[in-house]
Amino acid sequence: MNILAFMAHADDAAYFCGGTLLKYKALGHNIFIALTTGQEVPCGAEQMDASVRYIGFEAGQVRDDMTSRAAALTAIRWANADIIITHALWDGDSDHAVT
């Protein structure tokens, strides 16, 4: 399976779902990480042998609009994701909530 961690910041995948991603990797699944902000290599990406895609919005500038939605769909198609792990809607960080 293809597992996509769709996150806002470079440290989010490791912090919020790193253990889960490592378990999926150990089971032989493919790991993908898409980041809505920044261009930093995600924490732990090397250990997960993860493919990374940068969407490229500025921190604090992620909006729920057609541009962001199109970028999200492109990332999901890029990963050919079977499972998507992302932030909770009620997360207090605006980049997390919109992502």
Side-chain angles (χ1 to χ4, degrees):
M1 288 191 304
N2 292 339
I3 314 302
L4 171 61
F6 196 90
M7 299 285 147
H9 309 109
D11 61 345
D12 291 344
Y15 183 77
F16 290 108
C17 59
T20 300
L21 295 174
L22 287 170
K23 285 184 179 183
Y24 275 120
K25 185 64 183 176
L27 293 170
H29 301 295
N30 304 307
I31 307 300
F32 297 85
I33 300 173
L35 299 176
T36 55
T37 68
Q39 296 288 319
E40 301 169 32
V41 175
C43 299
E46 300 86 14
Q47 292 84 350
M48 295 178 233
D49 192 27
S51 298
V52 179
R53 183 177 188 99
Y54 304 101
I55 294 174
F57 293 108
E58 297 276 334
Q61 299 301 311
V62 182
R63 301 285 181 257
D64 184 6
D65 59 19
M66 294 309 289
T67 301
S68 298
R69 290 178 186 198
L73 287 173
T74 299
I76 292 167
R77 290 181 182 132
W78 159 76
N80 193 22
D82 296 299
I83 295 174
I84 301 170
I85 302 169
T86 193
H87 302 284
L89 289 173
W90 56 85
D91 191 311
D93 182 291
S94 64
D95 288 338
H96 293 183
V98 174
T99 296

